[in-house]
Amino acid sequence: MRLIDLSVPIATGMPVYPGDPRVTVAPALSATDDGVNVLHLDMGSQSGTHVDAPFHIDDTLPTLDRLPLERFWGPAVVVDARGAGPRTPLGPSLFDGRLRAGTIVLVATGWSRHWGTDAYPAHPYLTPEAAELLVAAGIRTVGIDALSVDTTPADDFPAHRILCGAHAVIAENLTGLDPLLDAQSAGEPIEVSLLPLRLPAADGAPVRAVARVG
């Protein structure tokens, strides 16, 4: 058994979705002057590797704390979309024969290699038809190694609306999915933890996403 970190580091000036709060990490207290080291964190709820609650796109949908913990931890299937180019729509055919109700589906686009560059927002994205297929198959947790499951920037968020409308959780800005594809090809089981910070009535929260392989 081995653990694989699927999270980007939280750091000052890290990439965020256009219009989201910028991230700042700075010393608040120091062991030299105050007896302890404490950081001051200034960031939005959608910063870094994070999960979206359905409330993120609709005030009438469940907030983060109203979702069962099972949405954030369980067996995972990784779908290989690494051949997709910039702003490529990912349709239902990508998921043929891969979906099992109750599993966490991770979409590996390989776009995390562009993290911190101007190319990162030009990621592949889910079509509404793909989102509808996932919901119909009983999938309630979907992750992607990109800035969003929809296009960036966007005037509308159809994949978000469909998934969140089914009370599904969306994980974004994952990284390091390549080893999971290798493990899956070798027949090894994969379990993923996407447990968020416990923020009452929140639209989402950063996570330390971790996979357990084997």
Side-chain angles (χ1 to χ4, degrees), residues 2 5 7 13 24 28 43 62 67 79 120-121 127 131 141 170-171 188 197 209:
R2 62 191 186 278
D5 198 336
S7 313
T24 303
M43 60 194 295
L67 296 171
V79 178
Y120 192 61
T127 64
T141 308
I170 301 169
E188 296 184 84
L197 298 175

Side-chain angles (χ1 to χ4, degrees), residues 6-163:
L6 308 179
S7 313
V8 297
I10 301 293
T12 297
M14 67 189 292
V16 296
Y17 193 86
D20 276 12
R22 305 297 298 176
V23 175
T24 303
V25 181
L29 302 173
S30 70
T32 299
D33 296 334
D34 307 293
V36 292
N37 288 312
V38 175
L39 287 174
H40 176 93
L41 307 178
D42 193 352
M43 60 194 295
S45 56
Q46 304 282 321
S47 299
T49 304
H50 66 274
V51 291
D52 297 349
F55 180 73
H56 181 47
I57 55 96
D58 190 323
D59 289 346
T60 67
L61 294 175
T63 54
L64 192 64
D65 54 339
R66 299 296 298 273
L67 296 171
L69 288 175
E70 288 78 8
R71 291 281 197 277
F72 308 101
W73 191 343
V77 171
V78 192
V79 178
D80 192 352
R82 291 176 296 180
R87 304 195 185 281
T88 298
L90 305 175
S93 62
L94 180 68
F95 303 96
D96 283 350
R98 307 304 309 276
L99 303 180
R100 300 193 308 274
T103 59
I104 294 173
V105 172
L106 304 180
V107 182
T109 68
W111 222 253
S112 57
R113 69 185 183 275
H114 297 300
W115 176 256
T117 75
D118 292 340
Y120 192 61
H123 55 82
Y125 60 94
L126 297 183
T127 64
E129 294 78 12
E132 288 169 351
L133 175 68
L134 289 163
V135 167
I139 303 302
R140 293 299 180 267
T141 308
V142 179
I144 192 168
D145 55 350
L147 195 52
S148 175
V149 292
D150 285 297
T151 57
T152 302
D155 296 323
D156 189 18
F157 303 91
H160 275 84
R161 285 191 286 102
I162 293 164
L163 293 169

